[in-house]
Amino acid sequence: FPYTTLFRSRNNALAVATGEYIYFIDSDDYLQEDYLEKMYQAAEKSGAEVVYNCNITMFPKEKAVPLIIFEREGFYEIKNKIIKEILIAPWNKLIKKSLIIDKELRFSRCRFEDVTFYYSLISQIDKIYIINQSTYYYRQRSNSDLGVLRRSKNFDTDFVTILEDVYNYLKKHNKLQSIPLPLLSLRWH
């Protein structure tokens, strides 16, 4: 199962990372040349613990499709509406390493490890800084874990596992009120 390698790789990277910020990228995606520089500048300028870049281009399709959800850059409070609009993925967020370490944010050993990480992350912050500069190029594949799982008999079971993992994290950190569980029906990337 490819997802078991991914969660281990990400957690191992968190254990040895030495920088001030953490950024994840999927191995089959790529970034515009100045992408990380723009993310870093936004983090330093704003003092934000999490910077979200909503300038994403999905490919391959007949034509690459840009996806910009937020027109205005700046701080947004974490509320129900914003939680629904942010893509559940670690790869378009620059995250302060101290937040990850202090709040024990890790990827869980299940399919959709992104979901557990995402909800754990947003339960620990009050606001997020959003930019739409530079571009993340996200490769959509029909044989991705998500594409395969949506067609599998185990999709519902895996989704229940995710709900349990998120619930357990929120309970452990006294954050059950921070995220209404019905919001877990969100934007899948």
Side-chain angles (χ1 to χ4, degrees):
F1 295 108
Y3 68 89
T4 59
T5 304
L6 183 58
F7 101 87
R8 280 193 188 103
S9 298
R10 288 178 172 169
N11 285 337
N12 289 340
L14 291 174
V16 298
T18 59
E20 185 179 354
Y21 296 94
I22 301 290
Y23 187 84
F24 297 97
I25 182 171
D26 285 354
S27 61
D28 57 347
D29 298 343
Y30 66 97
L31 308 173
Q32 190 171 332
E33 192 174 300
D34 63 348
Y35 183 88
L36 290 174
E37 179 183 1
K38 297 287 187 188
M39 296 280 284
Y40 177 77
Q41 288 171 349
E44 288 295 298
K45 177 181 154 193
S46 68
E49 291 183 294
V50 179
V51 175
Y52 170 80
N53 191 340
C54 65
N55 190 350
I56 301 159
T57 295
M58 306 219 178
F59 74 99
K61 289 195 173 205
E62 301 78 43
K63 174 175 126 175
V65 179
L67 172 68
I68 297 179
I69 301 166
F70 300 91
E71 295 295 326
R72 180 184 66 83
E73 293 189 6
F75 276 109
Y76 287 79
E77 287 185 42
I78 297 295
K79 293 186 177 178
N80 292 357
K81 182 179 185 319
I82 196 121
I83 293 170
K84 287 187 214 175
E85 295 298 324
I86 295 175
L87 288 175
I88 298 172
W91 47 254
N92 59 346
K93 296 161 192 71
L94 183 68
I95 307 165
K96 198 140 195 158
K97 182 183 175 198
S98 59
L99 174 67
I100 292 172
I101 301 304
D102 295 347
K103 302 302 180 184
E104 304 173 283
L105 300 174
R106 296 293 181 274
F107 292 89
S108 61
R109 185 177 185 211
C110 70
R111 298 168 205 232
F112 309 118
E113 78 288 339
D114 301 13
V115 177
T116 306
F117 184 86
Y118 169 77
Y119 281 105
S120 301
L121 171 67
I122 64 167
S123 75
Q124 297 295 342
I125 59 175
D126 296 321
K127 55 188 174 179
I128 189 166
Y129 195 83
I130 295 178
I131 66 171
N132 59 16
Q133 303 174 32
S134 204
T135 304
Y136 185 101
Y137 294 92
Y138 174 73
R139 183 182 310 272
Q140 289 186 305
R141 295 176 290 126
S142 60
N143 66 341
S144 69
D145 282 348
L146 182 57
V148 171
L149 284 171
R150 281 187 172 154
R151 295 183 299 271
S152 81
K153 295 176 190 171
N154 297 330
F155 183 78
D156 292 339
T157 304
D158 292 329
F159 195 72
V160 169
T161 301
I162 293 166
L163 290 173
E164 288 174 350
D165 287 350
V166 171
Y167 176 83
N168 289 335
Y169 179 88
L170 296 175
K171 185 176 179 184
K172 176 182 177 184
H173 293 277
N174 296 316
K175 295 288 187 174
L176 281 174
Q177 302 305 317
S178 65
I179 299 174
L181 289 181
L183 287 176
L184 291 174
S185 61
L186 301 165
R187 291 179 86 82
W188 292 93
H189 60 277

